[in-house]
Amino acid sequence: MTTSPIGIFDSGYGGLTILHGIRQLLPQYDYMYLGDNARAPYGSRSFEVVYQFTRQAVLKLFSMGCRLVILGCNTASAKALRTIQQRDVPAIDPSRRVLGIIRPTAEVIGSITTSRHVGLLATEGTVKSRSYELEIQKLFPDIQLSGVACPLWAAIVEANEADSPGADYFVKKRIDQLMRLDPDIDAIILGCTHYPLLMSSIVKHVPSGVRIVPQGEYVANSLSDYLVRHPQIEQTLTQGGSCQYFTTESEEKFKESAQIFLHETVNVHHIDLD
């Protein structure tokens, strides 16, 4: 039988935190992770470029047997997901699915905030797209969202500098900026999959009583619920508990960085998208 894994795509390594959360909850399925590390980061790229790159990755995962692909990247979810869902998938194969990671986070935020004032720390592209704001407004019109872009945070994580004094400085700077924008914030969404690796520093600088909302756990719960509600998709997935890794960059570099995110050594294969 041919394998039909769940595909998880990210521009870089951050999606490994999403993959980890999903595999913790749903270890039985087969997975395929694709990082477009050669062209990362996507955060400051235009909508059109992010869409084209993401579309290439989705088509590649489809061609490798994935019938369900998760964009484990906030920028791709913000800038490319809707067009791929509405325009590309119906033309390619209506039985396939592409899901993002912004809506699952938006769905839970209503039960986390009491003040109805929520903060967002994310890349410039995600903040400017207003995707979180739009998703949250649809579900919880009473919630007010304030966002701050953190341009250096992902680079700090990928350089394995998350515990450095420099990282601490930049984390404090952006959290202070966010809390000045709206002192009533009582929940902060980490709207970039790299940011959980800065958690020790984030927790230190967030005012007491403010909840931090990383995405991995919520995306995993949402996926589990989705598969229960869509048995026709779930039945196409194979359950061998395997995970394959692919990168558009150097295999050695991916192995090194994956160690930072997963604390384990992975086998990875080089792949071209264009």
Side-chain angles (χ1 to χ4, degrees):
M1 181 183 171
T2 53
T3 312
S4 179
I6 296 172
I8 296 180
F9 167 68
D10 185 28
S11 58
Y13 302 101
L16 292 169
T17 61
I18 299 295
L19 172 66
H20 179 71
I22 292 172
R23 289 190 77 199
Q24 292 280 99
L25 187 66
L26 303 165
Q28 68 272 32
Y29 296 103
D30 294 304
Y31 295 92
M32 192 176 277
Y33 182 88
L34 170 54
D36 187 12
N37 308 86
R39 301 189 293 196
Y42 282 14
S44 56
R45 291 187 184 272
S46 70
F47 271 73
E48 185 55 35
V49 167
V50 171
Y51 163 66
Q52 292 296 350
F53 287 180
T54 305
R55 183 177 183 275
Q56 286 174 350
V58 168
L59 290 178
K60 178 64 80 173
L61 286 166
F62 280 175
S63 76
M64 293 162 79
C66 299
R67 305 195 65 78
L68 171 64
V69 173
I70 294 157
L71 304 184
C73 170
N74 283 278
T75 305
S77 294
K79 293 183 173 183
L81 177 66
R82 187 150 292 150
T83 309
I84 287 171
Q85 284 177 331
Q86 292 175 355
R87 193 165 78 193
D88 296 312
V89 174
I92 297 159
D93 182 350
S95 73
R96 298 187 190 238
R97 293 289 182 274
V98 179
L99 306 175
I101 57 174
I102 290 175
R103 188 172 179 87
T105 315
E107 285 171 347
V108 297
I109 202 67
S111 62
I112 292 171
T113 174
T114 306
S115 70
R116 315 313 271 173
H117 290 254
V118 173
L120 170 68
L121 297 168
T123 64
E124 182 190 0
T126 298
V127 172
K128 279 188 175 170
S129 76
R130 295 182 59 238
S131 294
Y132 273 96
E133 196 178 333
L134 296 168
E135 285 296 338
I136 290 169
Q137 280 294 304
K138 274 186 231 166
L139 301 165
F140 309 106
D142 60 321
I143 289 180
Q144 188 174 319
L145 183 79
S146 303
V148 164
C150 310
L152 292 173
W153 285 22
I156 288 167
V157 170
E158 293 205 0
N160 204 8
E161 294 286 332
D163 297 320
S164 68
D168 209 53
Y169 168 81
F170 286 112
V171 167
K172 182 180 189 306
K173 182 178 178 180
R174 295 306 175 197
I175 289 170
D176 288 352
Q177 183 185 348
L178 182 64
M179 296 310 297
R180 280 198 304 273
L181 267 182
D182 184 354
D184 294 327
I185 286 170
D186 70 348
I188 297 175
I189 296 168
L190 301 185
C192 172
T193 51
H194 285 70
Y195 297 176
L197 277 84
L198 292 162
M199 192 64 85
S200 59
S201 190
I202 291 168
V203 168
K204 194 161 64 180
H205 297 297
V206 161
S208 64
V210 175
R211 289 270 304 272
I212 306 296
V213 186
Q215 295 174 291
E217 176 193 338
Y218 300 111
V219 172
N221 288 332
S222 178
L223 175 61
S224 177
D225 180 55
Y226 179 87
L227 294 177
V228 169
R229 288 185 290 109
H230 296 85
Q232 76 282 13
I233 301 290
E234 198 278 335
Q235 285 157 17
T236 68
L237 305 173
T238 50
Q239 299 193 20
S242 70
C243 190
Q244 296 173 273
Y245 298 88
F246 297 90
T247 178
T248 56
E249 239 273 8
S250 126
E251 294 168 4
E252 278 310 309
K253 187 170 184 326
F254 187 95
K255 273 186 194 173
E256 274 175 41
S257 295
Q259 186 89 33
I260 299 167
F261 286 85
L262 299 174
H263 307 293
E264 63 176 280
T265 305
V266 303
N267 282 322
V268 61
H269 304 283
H270 177 82
I271 199 170
D272 289 313
L273 292 184
D274 46 6

